[in-house]
Amino acid sequence: KEKEKKKNGDNHDNQSGIPTHKPSSPDEIVGCMKLVLHEPSGKRKRAKTTETDNNPTTGNEKEDEDAIGVGVGEDLKRGEVGCFAIRESSRSSGLGRVMLAIGEKEAARRGCDVCELQLLYPLHRPHPVKDRLRVWYMSREYEKVYSEEFSKQFPDKAAILVLPAGFDIFYKKLTSSAQ
């Protein structure tokens, strides 16, 4: 049955509908993201992947001992879309909207109350890409719920940054229609 699905071009996980195609070369990769689940207790769970199971939607989860939290939304189950990137040549193609919608749908399917995006940006100089991302997040119905100087929230991690940075968190409320 699996061979038949692949033969017919069905490269999607049956449960979530998320594409499962594995690229044959780096040139095929045009975007990436991860989904981290944050339980209401504040503990984060990361979808587990292995070499034989590169699909983060399998439900095999482990606690992330090194995870950091800011105390915002700890009473909510959150699906954080992170490491979200689109190859420059594919930007403005609609791929980001599609990928983010997939992340939101999966977070809703896993029972999350909100989808979370984070933005790290230089504090004392403009950064056109980060400014564009902030506007794009808000155009996708995300609301900024937290903003702080990164060093105040994470002094140990801020020490490795080249420039002082700001840190914003955005939430989008997930509804049953998103599921």
Side-chain angles (χ1 to χ4, degrees), residues 4-62:
E4 187 65 30
K5 283 178 16 181
K6 287 184 180 180
K7 182 179 168 186
N8 294 330
D10 185 359
N11 292 319
H12 292 80
D13 176 275
N14 285 335
Q15 199 172 22
S16 66
I18 295 175
T20 58
H21 168 75
K22 291 184 181 178
S24 59
S25 78
D27 292 338
E28 286 187 37
I29 299 171
V30 294
C32 64
M33 70 176 182
K34 70 175 181 179
L35 178 64
V36 178
L37 301 180
H38 299 267
E39 296 296 326
S41 67
K43 289 187 178 178
R44 290 161 61 137
K45 291 191 174 183
R46 183 179 312 244
K48 183 178 173 182
T49 59
T50 65
E51 295 220 354
T52 57
D53 177 17
N54 199 19
N55 184 353
T57 63
T58 59
N60 299 327
E61 297 167 350
K62 64 178 181 180

Side-chain angles (χ1 to χ4, degrees), residues 105-159:
K105 181 178 178 181
E106 183 62 16
R109 187 184 75 77
R110 290 178 176 237
C112 293
D113 301 302
V114 295
C115 196
E116 175 181 315
L117 295 169
Q118 299 177 356
L119 185 65
L120 186 67
Y121 55 92
L123 267 180
H124 304 298
R125 67 175 178 87
H127 194 289
V129 173
K130 302 293 185 166
D131 295 340
R132 191 175 74 233
L133 277 174
R134 186 179 294 106
V135 170
W136 188 77
Y137 292 170
M138 294 168 69
S139 77
R140 308 265 37 101
E141 300 176 13
Y142 282 79
E143 178 183 347
K144 184 167 40 170
V145 296
Y146 181 85
S147 187
E148 179 72 83
E149 188 171 328
F150 190 74
S151 64
K152 289 181 181 174
Q153 188 62 46
F154 310 109
D156 294 343
K157 296 186 184 306

Side-chain angles (χ1 to χ4, degrees), residues 4 6 72 130 176-179:
E4 187 65 30
K6 287 184 180 180
V72 174
K130 302 293 185 166
S176 57
S177 63
Q179 297 176 358

